[in-house]
């Protein structure tokens, strides 16, 4: 923490040219005593920092000494700050960006500051809470990935009680507002949804990393296998015009639209991981969708309909609101 403060103090000096102890204390949210000690430490370490007493005095860098960040083009800087908008930035990231802005050459600094205000990245799905269980164990898993430490992971799969397994954390992936851990297991590479993690306990043992492991390549292979499972069953159906848009919003890329039918409906093909799951998705659209094949999806729809009729006998839906 002291080293971070010293770097931040130096960059603040670089930005302002001359600063006072109260200004440094307010900027770094420390006491004036701590701010003064940090300035004195910079001077004692050989950095050309000097103080001047009296009106208009303060602390300055001798000769306007600079410690600029180099190697980034204007386009690279703009891209970096555009993808880290205020809503997406964690407190740690905001601190890092503030230091980075100060380290930039003065000619590039206004563009970087403007880029941070130009957009917001919010990957959270509307159907999920803004604060989820993901955050509870994210920091521990991030540390395990960075430090290369194997962990005992408590995990509750869908519809299963929580169990514990030892895994090698290799990376974290965020997809559409959902965080996943990519880890090595006895059965090979696996993904674990962070919202289902119940505990993280470092073992102190080093991670066993596959040779030539690349997180992006591994994630693409794992997600392709998952996506193949999502398309295991395909149903051919006819959809009423007023339901087609809703079906596409519900199932997105799993819907392939064909041509119009003589009765005004539209032919579609809808994919799902299994007949039962696909029937469950389509049942919510009622009579707006009729599955033509395969028979097992139709059978599951009939069963769902019978179960709903038994559960809600003789109950009609409310009438639509009047004009």
């Amino acid at each position: 923490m002291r080293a971070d403060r010293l770097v931040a103090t130096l960059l603040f000096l670089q930005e302002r040219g001359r600063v006072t102890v109260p200004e440094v204390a307010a900027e770094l949210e420390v006491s004036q005593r701590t701010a003064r000690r940090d300035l004195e430490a910079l001077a004692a370490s050989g950095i050309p920092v000097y103080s001047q007493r009296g009106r208009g005095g303060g602390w300055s860098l001798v000769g306007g000494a600079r410690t600029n960040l180099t190697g980034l083009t204007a386009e690279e800087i703009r891209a970096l700050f555009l993808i880290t908008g205020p809503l997406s930035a964690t407190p740690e990231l905001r601190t890092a960006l503030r230091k980075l802005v100060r380290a930039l050459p003065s000619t590039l600094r206004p563009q970087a500051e403007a880029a941070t205000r130009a957009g917001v990245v919010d990957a959270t799905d509307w159907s999920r809470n803004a604060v989820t269980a993901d955050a509870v164990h994210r920091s521990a898993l991030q540390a395990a990935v960075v430090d290369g430490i194997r962990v005992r992971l408590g995990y509750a799969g869908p519809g299963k009680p929580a169990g514990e397994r030892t895994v090698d954390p290799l990376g974290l992936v965020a997809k559409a507002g959902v965080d996943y851990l990519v880890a090595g297991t006895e059965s090979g590479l696996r993904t674990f949804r962070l919202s289902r993690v119940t505990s993280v306990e470092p073992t102190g043992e080093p991670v066993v990393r596959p040779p030539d492991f690349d997180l992006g390549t591994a994630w693409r292979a794992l997600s392709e296998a998952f996506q193949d499972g999502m398309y295991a069953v395909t149903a051919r159906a006819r959809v009423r015009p007023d339901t087609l848009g809703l079906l596409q919003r519900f199932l997105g890329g799993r819907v392939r639209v064909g041509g119009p039918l003589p009765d005004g409906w539209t032919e579609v093909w809808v994919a799902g991981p299994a007949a039962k799951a696909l029937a469950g998705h389509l049942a919510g659209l009622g009579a707006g969708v009729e599955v033509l094949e395969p028979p097992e999806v139709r059978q599951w729809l009939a069963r769902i309909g019978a179960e709903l009729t038994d559960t809600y006998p003789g109950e009609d839906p409310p009438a639509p609101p009047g004009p």
Side-chain angles (χ1 to χ4, degrees), residues 308-309 311-320:
L308 290 174
T309 301
T311 304
Y312 307 101
E315 296 188 27
D316 296 323

Side-chain angles (χ1 to χ4, degrees), residues 20 33 42 90-91 125 163 176 228 244 280 293 298 321:
T20 65
R33 181 179 179 182
L42 287 174
T90 63
D125 193 302
D228 288 344
L244 178 59
E293 55 182 359
R298 290 178 58 90

Side-chain angles (χ1 to χ4, degrees), residues 233-247:
V233 175
T234 300
R236 184 171 68 91
R238 54 196 290 270
V239 184
R240 204 165 55 200
D242 60 358
T243 308
L244 178 59
L246 190 59
L247 174 65

Side-chain angles (χ1 to χ4, degrees), residues 189 191 214-228:
L189 291 180
T191 60
D214 175 75
L215 181 60
T217 302
W219 173 254
R220 283 191 292 273
L222 290 165
S223 58
E224 285 172 4
F226 178 80
Q227 186 167 331
D228 288 344

Side-chain angles (χ1 to χ4, degrees), residues 38-317:
D38 289 347
L39 287 163
E40 292 170 347
L42 287 174
S45 67
I47 293 174
V49 177
Y50 74 98
S51 64
Q52 182 177 352
R53 298 183 181 277
R55 184 182 297 274
W59 292 77
S60 306
L61 286 168
V62 176
R66 309 291 290 175
T67 310
N68 282 334
L69 180 71
T70 59
L72 291 176
T73 66
E75 290 76 15
E76 290 169 338
I77 290 167
R78 184 162 53 249
L80 175 63
F81 282 85
L82 278 171
I83 65 172
T84 52
L87 186 58
S88 64
T90 63
E92 293 82 7
L93 181 55
R94 285 193 291 269
T95 299
L97 290 176
R98 183 172 62 181
K99 293 177 182 178
L100 181 56
V101 166
R102 291 178 187 149
L104 292 171
S106 58
T107 55
L108 299 178
R109 199 175 302 144
Q111 285 186 318
E113 292 174 335
T116 62
R117 301 188 295 268
V120 166
V121 177
D122 183 3
T124 304
D125 193 302
W126 285 109
S127 63
R128 303 174 69 240
N129 292 330
V131 179
T132 69
D134 302 25
V136 176
H137 302 294
R138 185 184 295 113
S139 295
L141 288 171
Q142 285 174 335
V145 170
V146 172
D147 297 338
I149 300 298
R150 181 175 289 177
V151 300
R152 278 188 289 273
L153 191 72
Y155 192 76
K160 300 178 181 178
E164 194 174 80
R165 67 196 77 187
T166 300
V167 303
D168 292 321
L170 300 173
L172 295 172
V173 176
K175 180 177 176 60
V178 181
D179 291 334
Y180 295 89
L181 169 71
V182 176
T185 71
E186 293 181 350
S187 303
L189 291 180
R190 293 290 184 270
T191 60
F192 299 90
R193 186 165 173 162
L194 262 63
S195 60
R196 295 178 181 144
V197 172
T198 59
S199 64
V200 178
E201 181 183 352
T203 65
E205 302 171 355
V207 159
V208 177
R209 196 175 185 88
D212 302 323
F213 175 80
D214 175 75
L215 181 60
T217 302
W219 173 254
R220 283 191 292 273
L222 290 165
S223 58
E224 285 172 4
F226 178 80
Q227 186 167 331
D228 288 344
M230 295 296 293
Y231 287 76
V233 175
T234 300
R236 184 171 68 91
R238 54 196 290 270
V239 184
R240 204 165 55 200
D242 60 358
T243 308
L244 178 59
L246 190 59
L247 174 65
Q248 291 176 303
R249 285 197 295 274
F250 275 177
L251 300 181
R254 291 160 56 188
V255 178
R256 181 164 58 91
V257 179
L261 298 171
D263 57 5
W265 289 39
T266 300
E267 187 176 31
V268 296
W269 288 263
V270 187
K276 180 180 179 181
L278 184 54
H281 287 305
L282 297 177
L285 298 173
V289 177
E290 181 188 357
V291 171
L292 304 175
E293 55 182 359
E296 53 266 31
V297 177
R298 290 178 58 90
Q299 290 163 4
W300 273 110
L301 281 166
R303 179 172 175 176
I304 292 171
E307 291 176 349
L308 290 174
T309 301
D310 290 341
T311 304
Y312 307 101
E315 296 188 27
D316 296 323

